[in-house]
Amino acid sequence: MAELKVNNLSKRFGNHQVLKDIAMRCRTNEIVGVFGRNGSGKSTMLKCIFGTLKADTINLAIDGSGMNPVDIIPSGKIGYLPQESFLPKNTKVKNAIQMYFADERRQDNVFYAPGINEIVNKSIKNLSFGQLRYFELVLVSFLDHPFLLLDEPFSMIEPLYKGLIRDFLIGLKEEKGIILTDHYYWDVLAVSDKNILIKDSKAYLVHDEDDLAKLGYLKKNNLNNDSKNC
Amino acid sequence: MVYKFTDSDTVLAYYALELFRLIRFESKTGIPKMGLKTIQIPETIAIFKRYRRNLLVHILDIYINYYKYILIYNITFSAAIGLVLGALWGALTFATLGLIIGIVAYDMLHKNQYYFFYNLGITKRKLILKVFLINPFFSLLVLAVFLFIFR
């Protein structure tokens, strides 16, 4: 079982301390949900772990071995689904799969993933937002990284694809550790094993929506309404 | 930083050597320098097709995907320079400043697409380095076309 440990993660933009001494741990077979209001530093935290944003301080270890964040990308230990689409628009879905996977058997795994068959001959630019998000998730997930960082995979997705993504993530965690951030807290809580909330640059452990309400991420009234809707 | 050679480096080195061999052949036989007729395009395509199934070229495909975006900006900029200052300046710009313009334009207009490569373990530094290796090959082609047309 692989383990990703983050300690002492701090990041400041000018005078604004976004993250301070954040610590978290994620193991394979585990989904960690990360909540926080807009600008609280969720995406910043993921980028610092992935190494595309330089943290002021960070101690990163995978399976007990310390790693410099700049070595994360070449090491292939962590995959990252950014908030905005990252696929070249003029590429066909089929070609993107072939470009990501040299091995034909692995290409087939992606081709036969639920929902992919319907879009395989389309160009990336012709996919709906839900199709694109789901395809990006599938593409990144079938790579060999033991850990995945997912930045808002549920945002603005129609219910059909939300269900597909939820089922896919539950299946995926059998072999990967996943850190997942999203404002759609019901979707995150439905798949996560543990959760943290980032507030005032610090991380708090939360278990359910009541904890989120206590820490001011949700209003009590909204919570009741959302519960009724679900 | 210690640079680690990868499979795609081997392919690039192969093509560079192949091109070098053709140029050397031309200079020895006295056939006009870099004339398009002497670059055996069908043979080169056959070699490429044979390698196509190979994992190495699969990796090269990924770099070409990045390079083709840069190529569009580079060609646009170099063509503009060529129209103002002349064809030779255009060709020289393509080999030098145009490449940098292309990289900057990609950085500004397609920044998020870098994650496409990051997930494959390819850093931005490595991409740019590869583009600097690929571009001289295309620059020679541009120069050859220029010499073929205007000699």
Side-chain angles (χ1 to χ4, degrees), chain B residues 33-149:
Chain B
K33 282 178 189 176
M34 287 303 295
L36 274 181
K37 285 171 201 164
T38 60
I39 298 177
Q40 298 160 22
I41 289 172
E43 189 192 66
T44 311
I45 289 170
I47 293 165
F48 186 78
K49 278 184 178 169
R50 198 161 64 242
Y51 273 75
R52 182 82 178 88
R53 291 191 191 89
N54 197 307
L55 174 69
L56 306 184
V57 172
H58 165 82
I59 295 166
L60 189 66
D61 271 353
I62 294 162
Y63 289 105
I64 293 291
N65 185 278
Y66 175 65
Y67 182 67
K68 74 180 179 193
Y69 279 87
I70 287 166
L71 196 62
I72 291 165
Y73 299 117
N74 189 356
I75 286 172
T76 310
F77 181 72
S78 305
I81 293 290
L83 283 172
V84 177
L85 299 176
L88 187 59
W89 276 105
L92 287 172
T93 304
F94 180 87
T96 53
L97 185 63
L99 180 63
I100 293 162
I101 297 286
I103 292 168
V104 172
Y106 188 92
D107 214 56
M108 287 167 68
L109 302 170
H110 310 280
K111 196 169 188 175
N112 228 44
Q113 279 185 32
Y114 276 114
Y115 284 98
F116 181 79
F117 306 101
Y118 293 161
N119 278 314
L120 290 167
I122 303 167
T123 58
K124 191 195 273 190
R125 184 194 296 242
K126 202 169 174 182
L127 276 171
I128 291 171
L129 197 67
K130 290 289 161 62
V131 157
F132 271 95
L133 287 172
I134 295 169
N135 200 58
F137 177 74
F138 281 88
S139 301
L140 283 174
L141 283 180
V142 168
L143 206 59
V145 170
F146 168 79
L147 292 173
F148 182 72
I149 294 168

Side-chain angles (χ1 to χ4, degrees), chain A residues 4 26 45-51 72 78-82 137 140 147-153 177-181, chain B residues 119:
Chain A
L4 168 68
C26 178
M45 184 182 85
L46 297 186
K47 284 177 186 168
C48 288
I49 295 171
F50 193 54
I72 287 292
I78 299 179
Y80 182 59
L81 179 74
L137 174 66
V140 175
F147 296 100
L148 268 183
L149 311 176
L150 308 178
D151 200 347
E152 302 196 358
I178 301 166
I179 299 175
L180 166 65
T181 164
Chain B
N119 278 314

